[in-house]
Amino acid sequence: MRKFELIAPCHFGTESVLKKEIIDLGYDVTEVADGRVTFFGDEEAVCRANVFLRTAERILIKVGSFRAETFEELFQGTRALPWEDYIPQDGRFWVAKAASVKSKLFSPSDIQSIMKKAMVERLKDVYHVGWFPEDGEIFPVRVFLMKDLVTVGLDSTGESLHKRGYRRLTAKAPLAENLAAALILLTPWNRDRILVDPFCGSGTFPIEAAMMAAGMAPGMNREFTARNWKHIVDGRLWYDSIDEARELVDLQIDPDIQGYDMDDGMVSIARENARVAGVDKLIHFQRRDVARLSHPKKYGFLITNPPYGERLQEKKEMPALYRTLGERYRALDAWSLYVITAYEGAEQDIGRKADKNRKIYNGMMKTYYYQFLGPKPPRQNRRGEEALSLERPTAQEIIF
């Protein structure tokens, strides 16, 4: 079976979670860099990574890498890559995205244009033609330039992996599904613990948590560009990966996952999204203001994405909103609170310094993931006595 070096881009700040996911799938990670994780895998890995990874943006098949400080070096380096191993004579190919950091070449449009010309020249020589119809399957290419090192990958995914297919309706500022999944995985939450999102919006946190609880792979109900690349990945492997995913689903569970929002319309949207995702029976959505946040049980998790106050008129409301969140959190018995926000006064208004704080980029916006750790549920020690401890950093947090 053909072997590849695969690149999985992700949100800046979530690399450690993605690394843990890849290792758990059984693949060897070769590099962890800002915003991406690289690993080795075969044809089956292309399928399984696309279907099972919750926190990746997409899966790229690495075509090659080289150094380039001039456009001539970029042209020649691109032309030297074995494009004929991937792109057939009728393939539609283009550089879908170019990103450059600390490199002498920094114009995305120029990089894209020059690389396309170099690919055409290479394939003209290989196929002995002067023109390509480009009426076959699509082969989008992505390129990263970091300190003049050019890394080129073929995009096997298509639409970003955060698009699971369930979120047909959204809030004004929705959190990407793969980022929500990463933030949940950065906590010690599991399906035996309570999870409440008091600002649930379109329901992303509760839905992602319910999918995890049910063992539901995020990509099992969507399509991927590489499903049509029969000469690269055996088509049967896609069916095998989907079958594997379906066998792992367990909807005969009864988790305590709740989502609240003060807007009736958002609650309706969240319920519909959960229905499309197939987890509506696992989540309780309710119209409820954060001022009425409560729960009778102990040791739960609040995981939430409150308003940031991006608009001028909203900024005045932020202190009271976050103070209320802090007050209601303290009224809960032995809970943990996880908040992603760009609001700079979050800790001050919540009324407690976070035990941990992680910088996360939500798109291009720098946010902080504040982690207020509560005690773990009691466990029996060797003497049969109850022992309590604060929630410790998860394995994902200490990997990278």
Side-chain angles (χ1 to χ4, degrees):
M1 193 176 288
R2 194 170 177 181
K3 304 292 184 181
F4 303 105
E5 190 169 10
L6 303 173
I7 304 169
C10 62
H11 288 269
F12 285 93
T14 67
E15 297 86 356
S16 62
V17 186
L18 177 54
K19 177 182 178 181
K20 174 68 162 51
E21 278 200 283
I22 292 168
I23 292 171
D24 287 348
L25 272 184
Y27 303 114
D28 295 327
V29 170
T30 58
E31 181 186 12
V32 179
D34 287 346
R36 67 181 187 270
V37 180
T38 303
F39 61 104
F40 283 121
D42 54 15
E43 294 176 35
E44 183 182 60
V46 176
C47 306
R48 295 183 72 237
N50 272 298
V51 171
F52 285 99
L53 291 179
R54 298 185 187 279
T55 63
E57 290 278 346
R58 59 188 68 251
I59 304 301
L60 307 178
I61 298 174
K62 184 176 178 180
V63 180
S65 60
F66 55 90
R67 300 197 69 81
E69 297 183 5
T70 67
F71 284 122
E72 178 62 23
E73 290 175 341
L74 178 67
F75 181 91
Q76 296 300 337
T78 303
R79 185 174 182 174
L81 297 176
W83 293 107
E84 64 276 8
D85 290 350
Y86 305 96
I87 302 174
Q89 187 168 332
D90 65 347
R92 286 182 284 162
F93 57 96
W94 72 101
V95 181
K97 185 174 181 180
S100 178
V101 178
K102 299 179 181 178
S103 298
K104 293 181 177 62
L105 303 178
F106 55 84
S107 168
S109 59
D110 288 336
I111 292 168
Q112 290 168 296
S113 175
I114 287 168
M115 290 186 67
K116 168 74 176 190
K117 291 176 182 176
M119 294 165 67
V120 168
E121 290 304 310
R122 167 82 181 204
L123 293 175
K124 281 168 62 177
D125 290 344
V126 170
Y127 293 124
H128 306 293
V129 297
W131 176 80
F132 293 99
E134 297 200 47
D135 55 2
E137 300 300 336
I138 63 172
F139 295 87
V141 173
R142 292 189 169 233
V143 58
F144 312 96
L145 280 75
M146 172 62 76
K147 296 181 180 178
D148 302 320
L149 178 65
V150 183
T151 302
V152 185
L154 197 63
D155 181 8
S156 73
T157 301
E159 279 198 307
S160 171
L161 287 175
H162 83 266
K163 295 188 177 181
R164 322 294 206 204
Y166 68 74
R167 196 165 70 181
R168 300 176 183 176
L169 302 167
T170 66
K172 286 187 293 185
L175 195 68
E177 293 90 327
N178 58 341
L179 179 55
L183 296 177
I184 295 171
L185 290 171
L186 281 169
T187 80
W189 178 81
N190 61 63
R191 72 184 192 182
D192 297 323
R193 306 284 293 274
I194 305 159
L195 186 150
V196 175
D197 180 359
F199 301 95
C200 74
S202 55
T204 309
F205 272 133
I207 293 171
E208 288 295 316
M211 290 175 69
M212 291 179 195
M216 188 178 290
M220 62 185 289
N221 294 315
R222 54 157 289 168
E223 291 296 320
F224 305 99
T225 299
R227 289 197 73 157
N228 297 317
W229 298 352
K230 304 293 194 301
H231 61 297
I232 298 178
V233 179
D234 188 329
R236 292 172 297 181
L237 296 174
W238 289 102
Y239 293 106
D240 291 345
S241 296
I242 297 298
D243 287 344
E244 178 188 358
R246 287 176 177 161
E247 289 173 4
L248 293 173
V249 176
D250 178 12
L251 295 173
Q252 305 306 310
I253 57 173
D254 187 25
D256 190 343
I257 300 173
Q258 302 185 33
Y260 307 146
D261 201 282
M262 65 181 298
D263 185 333
D264 266 330
M266 291 314 308
V267 173
S268 296
I269 286 173
R271 285 178 179 147
E272 174 61 14
N273 288 340
R275 185 195 65 78
V276 174
V279 294
D280 51 315
K281 302 281 195 302
L282 307 181
I283 307 170
H284 172 68
F285 287 110
Q286 182 181 11
R287 182 186 179 278
R288 183 186 290 193
D289 190 281
V290 68
R292 295 175 50 237
L293 172 63
S294 64
H295 199 290
K297 296 182 181 178
K298 301 175 67 171
Y299 311 116
F301 289 78
L302 295 176
I303 305 178
T304 192
N305 174 37
Y308 301 167
E310 299 98 323
R311 297 178 183 175
L312 187 60
Q313 62 269 31
E314 295 174 342
K315 287 185 182 296
K316 299 175 182 178
E317 303 171 5
M318 292 303 101
L321 182 72
Y322 281 78
R323 280 198 298 270
T324 302
L325 174 61
E327 290 166 2
R328 298 317 305 155
Y329 165 56
R330 286 188 291 276
L332 295 167
D333 192 352
W335 281 49
S336 297
L337 169 64
Y338 294 81
V339 180
I340 180 171
T341 182
Y343 174 54
E344 295 180 356
E347 286 178 298
Q348 177 181 331
D349 292 330
I350 287 172
R352 173 179 159 185
K353 182 174 175 56
D355 298 289
K356 295 182 69 67
N357 181 11
R358 178 184 286 257
K359 183 164 63 176
I360 302 280
Y361 278 86
N362 183 6
M364 297 304 294
M365 180 183 293
K366 182 171 68 174
T367 64
Y368 290 93
Y369 193 37
Y370 296 104
Q371 303 165 55
F372 304 89
L373 309 181
K376 289 183 178 180
R379 61 179 176 82
Q380 297 292 320
N381 62 21
R382 292 182 180 179
R383 295 181 180 177
E385 299 169 343
E386 285 190 347
L388 283 177
S389 63
L390 287 178
E391 300 281 12
R392 298 303 180 192
T394 64
Q396 295 97 318
E397 288 181 274
I398 61 178
I399 286 173
F400 174 69

